[in-house]
Amino acid sequence: MTVATQSTAMPTAGQHGLVAHSDGPVVPVQTRSERFRSVEVADFAPVTGREHEWKLSPVAAFADLTSGELDGARLGLETSGAEGVAVEWIARDDARIGTAGTPEERASANAWTNFGEALLVRVTGEDDKIATVTRTGLGATPRAAHTVIEAAPNSRGLVVLGGTGSARLSENVEVIVGEGANLTVVSVQEWDDDAVHLASHFARIGRDAKLKHIVVSLGGKVVRVNPSTHLAEQGGDVEALGLYFSDAGQHLEQQVYVHHDAPNTRSRVTYKGALQGEGARSVWIGDVLIGNAAVGTDSYEQNRNLVLSDGTRADSIPNLEIETGDIAGAGHASATGRFDDEQLFYLMARGITEEEARRLVVRGFLTEIVQQIGVAELEERLTAALEAELQGA
Amino acid sequence: MSVLEIKNLHVNVETDQGTREILRGVDLVINEGEIHAIMGPNGSGKSTLAYTIAGHPKYTVVEGEILLDGENVLEMSVDERARAGLFLAMQYPVEIPGVTVTNFLRTAKTAIDGEAPSVRHWVKDVRTAMGNLKMDSAFAERNVNEGFSGGEKKRNEILQLELLKPKFAVLDETDSGLDVDALKIVSEGVNRAKENTGLGILLITHYTRILRYIKPDFVHVFVAGKIAEQGGPELADRLEDEGYDRYQVAETASAE
Ligand SMILES: Nc1ncnc2c1ncn2[C@@H]1O[C@H](COP(=O)(O)OP(=O)(O)O)[C@@H](O)[C@H]1O
Ligand SMILES: [Mg+2]
């Protein structure tokens, strides 16, 4: 059974509050598990922009990343470590590389073909700990990168993978969550206004392991972070969260894929975004595949967008594909609501200033995700960054 | 002694078909502690009057004045009017996604008072006010008006009236769409607010039934953008029997 719903919101003056699109038309989609995969860029045809994985992306803005030569040298990093988190460069032939996933599109394959060494972030030990790796100063050179984040069995930890400054980067991030491990990965995109960043994250969740994966996209001209999670062993659990604020001329995209492939696995996908300004654009595609081995699956995915001004566009497309009847639950929701003049009037009629009214609504809307990050300092910084976005800074 | 004065108010609205004149010279003086009922048929301009007092940007004042204790209300922004002591209970309260009732009330109270309310008293005040209005405490954590029934939205308006303590409140068809029980609860809330703060009330309604629970000092019949007749509570009884036809016929005749 395949259920797909699609909503494309180009707000109109009459749109109030949140409009649910959960009962949209049923459109058949290609079976996600049958998609072509390869680590070789030459195996993919040149990108035209008509492919299902590219059709909502501004492909002309990053032809260098999908078809050009990429510099695979080590990226400039700022790291703040913790005991039990090792950060090192490993060779292309390391056995871990390729164990969490395989590229499904050309930018990802191009990065895979061209990276030199991979960055390994290895988490061990049962104490909670936080490590941060920020990529910075990447400049205008089109680059390829590969990162492996590995949580040893029964380990716990939180890894922040950040990006600042200018960049033209295509990369793959493999997340290997060992048996019984509990890992949080926060990918924070705070690039400069001209940056282009295309990322594919591939997570493989071991038996009874848990991954919390959070994508925060604020800065960059085009930012596309596509996390795939393979719930490959029984009892695996993924909580995939996302937060984005798209302002004038920005394209922020995320294609989230969860593959339930073992008994009694659980997934929760919650992405929330705000859009403000002429040409602010967001794309969210959420594919959930419940394979025939995945009895007892419990799955729910949702995307909510808050539109703060005219001239924006939010695409929101949940797809659910179920190959077994024996599941605990599966659902999806998608809604795009507008913060409109009537809401502003209502709040101001209670004495609240216009600035405060906007802040109130956006903060209320996005806080649910911010609070999940679990790093107080980062939560505060992101809250401040969101308020700066609101003020058009 | 506070007073809200409306003098020769003319208001236009921009529509797709061009500018329309809706209010055509409204005069009204409301003193603190008075209840004025404005009654009129649909489309006569009652909500326009309410929105204009609150400062909704869609309505343009082309002539006349609104004064609050002598201050020019028309020069104030929407939020300044609220902070000056004006309150509008809306006919169709707006849903605010992502903002809980608790957060909204605290933010509004802080804005109106110019300082955050003392936490201990505030929490108690909110709980008491919600209890009085028979609102389940779960409402506090829901988003403002989101998924509320019509009656719940109206209660939420009166909750704000009781907590924000304005000098003057305009209640725009607060009674519409309420069953008898809800109507009583909401009316009690309005009467309680008046007892506690002595506010002046402009009670806009289409029907007379709310006047059984909220006793007006003055009744104004509103037809075609102005006050066609005014009197005491007995005027409401006459409207109950005769309806608005008499005024509308007169209006049509005078227009010819
Ligand atoms: N925003 C608006 N745009 C267009 N027409 C409006 C608008 N507001 C009010 N009107 C028109 O003005 C007239 C009075 O409306 P309203 O003030 O809502 O009346 P009432 O509240 O007495 O029913 C109606 O004919 C209505 O269609
Ligand atoms: Mg009305």
Side-chain angles (χ1 to χ4, degrees):
Chain A
M1 184 176 77
T2 294
V3 181
T5 60
Q6 175 156 0
S7 76
T8 296
M10 276 169 292
T12 56
Q15 199 178 340
H16 289 234
L18 282 173
V19 184
H21 291 292
S22 316
D23 315 313
V26 175
V27 183
V29 290
Q30 184 201 25
T31 299
R32 179 71 195 233
S33 52
E34 290 167 6
R35 247 185 223 182
F36 179 73
R37 291 183 171 78
S38 171
V39 297
E40 286 299 329
V41 63
D43 292 346
F44 290 84
V47 172
T48 63
R50 290 188 297 274
E51 302 83 355
H52 54 82
E53 69 273 26
W54 291 115
K55 68 180 183 214
L56 297 170
S57 311
V59 295
F62 48 79
D64 53 341
L65 297 179
T66 54
S67 57
E69 184 99 352
L70 301 178
D71 183 340
R74 293 180 177 186
L75 300 183
L77 302 178
E78 283 170 4
T79 59
S80 83
E83 198 170 325
V85 183
V87 179
E88 60 185 305
W89 293 95
I90 55 174
R92 277 185 68 91
D93 60 1
D94 188 282
R96 286 167 285 214
I97 293 173
T99 58
T102 308
E104 294 188 350
E105 39 84 345
R106 204 170 203 274
S108 170
N110 202 19
W112 202 298
T113 302
N114 285 295
F115 78 91
E117 294 163 285
L119 184 72
L120 173 69
V121 180
R122 182 167 155 78
V123 178
T124 53
E126 297 190 20
D127 296 331
D128 284 314
K129 52 202 147 305
I130 298 170
T132 301
V133 177
T134 304
R135 286 80 61 82
T136 190
L138 308 188
T141 309
R143 292 177 188 277
H146 198 103
T147 303
V148 176
I149 300 172
E150 184 187 24
N154 299 312
S155 65
R156 297 174 67 87
L158 189 158
V159 176
V160 180
L161 192 61
T164 60
S166 54
R168 298 193 71 80
L169 174 65
S170 181
E171 67 164 340
N172 294 294
V173 177
E174 294 190 72
V175 181
I176 304 163
V177 189
E179 184 172 323
N182 188 328
L183 177 69
T184 299
V185 173
V186 188
S187 180
V188 189
Q189 289 64 242
E190 292 179 282
W191 304 108
D192 284 354
D193 289 345
D194 60 348
V196 176
H197 178 210
L198 308 178
S200 294
H201 288 213
F202 303 98
R204 185 186 189 281
I205 315 299
R207 182 177 170 133
D208 297 325
K210 174 165 180 162
L211 173 67
K212 189 195 271 193
H213 185 274
I214 307 177
V215 177
V216 180
S217 292
L218 300 179
K221 173 98 188 128
V222 179
V223 177
R224 191 174 118 126
V225 178
N226 296 347
S228 297
T229 303
H230 186 194
L231 291 158
E233 312 260 359
Q234 80 175 55
D237 185 313
V238 65
E239 193 164 344
L241 302 163
L243 165 66
Y244 46 93
F245 194 118
S246 181
D247 53 31
Q250 241 186 340
H251 178 103
L252 302 180
E253 176 166 352
Q254 29 265 312
Q255 300 190 12
V256 186
Y257 174 40
V258 177
H259 183 187
H260 289 266
D261 196 22
N264 301 313
T265 54
R266 176 180 177 275
S267 67
R268 288 290 180 275
V269 177
T270 308
Y271 271 65
K272 286 186 144 187
L275 298 92
Q276 173 172 278
E278 193 60 38
R281 181 92 164 81
S282 73
V283 175
W284 179 86
I285 300 175
D287 291 347
V288 173
L289 168 62
I290 302 174
N292 57 19
V295 297
T297 287
D298 176 8
S299 162
Y300 193 81
E301 58 165 351
Q302 60 173 322
N303 173 227
R304 308 211 176 265
N305 293 300
L306 178 65
V307 172
L308 295 166
S309 76
D310 290 335
T312 70
R313 174 170 164 170
D315 286 288
S316 181
I317 309 169
N319 296 307
L320 180 59
E321 200 179 320
I322 306 178
E323 294 173 348
T324 174
D326 186 11
I327 61 169
H332 61 86
S334 157
T336 296
R338 191 186 157 94
F339 179 60
D340 66 12
D341 295 343
E342 294 304 323
Q343 290 165 343
L344 188 61
F345 173 72
Y346 188 80
L347 293 168
M348 289 178 73
R350 300 305 182 240
I352 300 168
T353 62
E354 172 165 0
E355 196 182 314
E356 172 102 30
R358 285 185 181 276
R359 209 183 302 145
L360 189 65
V361 168
V362 176
R363 196 194 282 157
F365 180 73
L366 297 177
T367 295
E368 184 193 345
I369 305 291
V370 176
Q371 283 173 345
Q372 294 284 325
I373 290 171
V375 189
E377 180 266 334
L378 180 57
E379 288 178 11
E380 276 164 36
R381 191 159 57 82
L382 290 175
T383 300
L386 285 167
E387 304 206 335
E389 293 274 350
L390 266 175
Q391 267 131 49
Chain B
M1 176 85 169
S2 272
V3 56
L4 179 65
E5 298 167 89
I6 297 168
K7 298 182 181 171
N8 189 32
L9 192 68
H10 289 254
V11 172
N12 287 356
V13 64
E14 298 305 324
T15 72
D16 296 340
Q17 290 81 43
T19 305
R20 262 190 68 186
E21 185 186 24
I22 306 210
L23 299 189
R24 307 168 185 197
V26 179
D27 289 289
L28 197 58
V29 178
I30 306 172
N31 290 302
E32 182 183 317
E34 291 176 355
I35 299 182
H36 292 246
I38 292 218
M39 306 193 59
N42 281 333
S44 57
K46 304 183 299 297
S47 290
T48 300
L49 176 62
Y51 276 129
T52 304
I53 294 170
H56 195 293
K58 269 203 299 223
Y59 302 92
T60 314
V61 175
V62 287
E63 208 184 324
E65 289 184 296
I66 303 179
L67 302 173
L68 174 59
D69 297 334
E71 299 280 330
N72 185 350
V73 169
L74 297 178
E75 277 179 0
M76 301 179 195
S77 61
V78 176
D79 51 320
E80 285 170 347
R81 293 178 198 205
R83 293 199 295 272
L86 296 178
F87 181 88
L88 168 62
M90 294 187 205
Q91 185 173 1
Y92 302 107
V94 182
E95 298 185 4
I96 314 285
V99 180
T100 62
V101 169
T102 301
N103 191 6
F104 167 63
L105 290 174
R106 198 189 326 103
T107 306
K109 185 67 176 170
T110 303
I112 299 256
D113 289 3
E115 59 178 357
S118 112
V119 177
R120 247 187 46 237
H121 291 120
W122 177 244
V123 171
K124 195 169 131 266
D125 289 351
V126 172
R127 202 177 298 137
T128 308
M130 289 182 73
N132 286 338
L133 290 163
K134 309 262 186 310
M135 291 175 79
D136 192 293
S137 59
F139 274 94
E141 291 318 311
R142 288 178 56 183
N143 291 336
V144 176
N145 294 321
E146 206 174 80
F148 287 23
S149 71
E152 288 162 352
K153 284 182 181 169
K154 297 300 177 73
R155 282 183 221 200
N156 191 37
E157 294 294 285
I158 301 308
L159 175 68
Q160 294 165 52
L161 171 69
E162 290 203 65
L163 290 168
L164 299 180
K165 306 190 190 322
K167 290 184 191 158
F168 290 95
V170 180
L171 310 181
D172 190 4
E173 298 212 23
T174 297
D175 52 336
S176 304
L178 296 185
D179 63 29
V180 178
D181 291 337
L183 182 63
K184 277 189 199 160
I185 290 165
V186 159
S187 301
E188 280 165 19
V190 174
N191 290 329
R192 209 164 35 235
K194 192 190 154 207
E195 250 162 58
N196 290 339
T197 66
L199 84 165
I201 295 172
L202 188 62
L203 180 71
I204 294 175
T205 181
H206 182 74
Y207 306 102
T208 52
R209 68 179 187 145
I210 195 173
L211 304 182
R212 267 177 260 159
Y213 307 103
I214 302 176
K215 295 289 174 205
D217 302 300
F218 304 93
V219 173
H220 311 267
V221 183
F222 207 74
V223 180
K226 54 182 184 236
I227 292 170
E229 187 174 4
Q230 38 198 342
E234 74 289 343
L235 185 51
D237 298 334
R238 238 178 95 192
L239 285 171
E240 168 105 62
D241 299 334
E242 298 173 15
Y244 298 113
D245 289 354
R246 195 158 58 87
Y247 302 100
Q248 281 167 309
V249 171
E251 183 62 29
T252 319
S254 69
E256 278 166 5

